[in-house]
Amino acid sequence: MTTRTPIFSAAEIAAASELINQSTHVVILTHMSPDGDAMGSSLAMRHFLESLGKQVAVIVPNSFPDFLAWLPLANEDIIYETQRAEADAILEQADLVICTDFNDPKRIGALGDKMLEMACPKVLIDHHLYPAVFADFIVSVPEASSTCELVWEVIGDEAIRRLGDKAKDIATCIYTGLMTDTGNFSYNSNRPQIYPIIAQLIELGVDKDAIYNAVFNQYSVDRMKLVGYCLYQKMRVFPENHAALIYLGRKELYRFNFQKGDAEGIVNMPMQSKDIHYSVFMR
């Protein structure tokens, strides 16, 4: 029988909690071109911190795909690329910055330079290798399936359950990150510890089938044609290297009315071939 054990120590969680408890105005940052894990982890933290009475804002470097816009409070994210003045004003008031799902300030573009100038404490919660040392407290666990898994551990299942209706919003955000960063649990998901988490998320009201449909079954017809074009016209295979390359130019993107998020998952498609072990997608 598998039992779930925390992925990091109680002392580490306590240290992060202490920084959170001392804060009033919290800003949550995540990486450029936010994916499901970036959006899920940042929004889950926002829901939780607001339940503690904090003033919280999520700032993203640029816009996110439409298929993530349904996430609770996603429509209130501040986009630094187009709302810089508003974002800078919020950053000036912040007494805590929480960075989710990125390991280096470079991954948040111009927002990274602004963040590094800030004197307030910073917390990093991430699962990528080799985190840059820019935060006062770092939760970095590369073996984790996703940053959402770590956010679940930082908050704690008991704390989430006490939030009533708000618990479902947090659970929905966390499940979305778990699902998208594992390809619906088809890779990076062999650690048995994540499945008790999934069970608890469903107990909190998560409709996993509805989330799958909202994320993976909402593409446009143009995107479907783009995928066909990539695989039939643009995929180059290098058998001696067990590798594949797909590349698209600006005119080709325009031809298929490319929208943010349309490239999601294309890089993985060549590896459905038994002879391809490496895949590169460039645009």
Side-chain angles (χ1 to χ4, degrees), residues 126-143:
D126 181 53
H127 72 125
H128 298 95
L129 290 168
Y130 314 122
V133 182
F134 65 92
D136 299 273
F137 183 81
I138 297 175
V139 174
S140 175
V141 187
E143 62 267 29

Side-chain angles (χ1 to χ4, degrees), residues 7-274:
I7 203 165
F8 41 81
S9 72
E12 290 177 306
I13 297 175
S17 298
E18 182 63 21
L19 286 174
I20 291 171
N21 291 337
Q22 294 173 354
S23 66
T24 302
H25 293 83
V26 184
V27 171
I28 302 171
L29 308 177
T30 195
H31 61 73
M32 295 182 70
S33 301
D35 56 10
D37 193 27
M39 292 292 290
S41 58
S42 58
L43 289 169
M45 284 298 301
R46 175 181 174 176
H47 285 288
F48 175 67
L49 294 173
E50 286 185 341
S51 76
L52 301 178
K54 312 292 184 183
Q55 296 292 318
V56 188
V58 176
I59 302 176
V60 295
N62 57 357
S63 59
F64 50 85
D66 287 344
F67 59 75
L68 296 173
W70 60 271
L71 282 166
L73 295 184
N75 63 323
E76 296 185 12
D77 278 9
I78 297 167
I79 300 172
Y80 197 69
E81 189 174 66
T82 57
Q83 300 170 276
R84 182 169 298 200
E86 181 182 354
D88 284 345
I90 291 171
L91 289 166
E92 291 294 334
Q93 297 181 7
D95 53 16
L96 178 66
V97 174
I98 297 179
C99 304
T100 65
D101 202 38
F102 66 93
N103 59 354
D104 192 302
K106 295 177 182 177
R107 292 200 64 202
I108 58 174
L111 186 52
D113 294 331
K114 183 71 176 180
M115 183 264 295
L116 291 174
E117 295 172 357
M118 298 172 66
C120 66
K122 302 171 184 68
V123 173
L124 171 66
I125 306 175
D126 181 53
H127 72 125
H128 298 95
L129 290 168
Y130 314 122
V133 182
F134 65 92
D136 299 273
F137 183 81
I138 297 175
V139 174
S140 175
V141 187
E143 62 267 29
S145 64
S146 58
T147 298
C148 277
E149 179 184 349
L150 301 179
V151 168
W152 170 268
E153 295 286 2
V154 168
I155 298 174
D157 56 336
E158 293 182 5
I160 294 174
R161 289 179 185 278
R162 289 195 294 266
L163 299 180
D165 293 339
K166 181 64 70 174
K168 182 179 178 181
D169 288 339
I170 295 175
T172 296
C173 292
I174 288 176
Y175 183 86
T176 300
L178 281 166
M179 178 190 72
T180 54
D181 247 31
T182 60
N184 199 32
F185 310 103
S186 63
Y187 52 81
N188 196 29
S189 54
N190 272 338
R191 292 178 62 258
Q193 291 89 342
I194 70 171
Y195 294 97
I197 296 176
I198 294 168
Q200 291 179 77
L201 296 173
I202 293 173
E203 288 175 2
L204 289 169
V206 163
D207 186 336
K208 71 177 188 63
D209 297 336
I211 292 175
Y212 180 92
N213 184 64
V215 173
F216 293 116
N217 292 333
Q218 299 300 320
Y219 290 116
S220 66
V221 171
D222 284 328
R223 193 266 182 179
M224 296 178 68
K225 292 179 178 179
L226 173 67
V227 171
Y229 176 74
C230 286
L231 296 178
Y232 184 64
Q233 299 279 4
K234 301 296 293 186
M235 184 173 72
R236 294 183 60 193
V237 177
F238 303 88
E240 67 278 11
N241 302 113
H242 301 283
L245 168 67
I246 298 172
Y247 59 94
L248 294 173
R250 188 181 302 273
K251 290 182 179 179
E252 291 167 312
L253 297 176
Y254 181 80
R255 172 183 173 186
F256 291 97
N257 300 309
F258 184 84
Q259 304 295 316
K260 186 173 291 291
D262 282 354
E264 192 76 22
I266 291 178
V267 69
N268 296 318
M269 291 179 178
M271 291 194 294
Q272 294 175 15
S273 168
K274 64 180 180 179

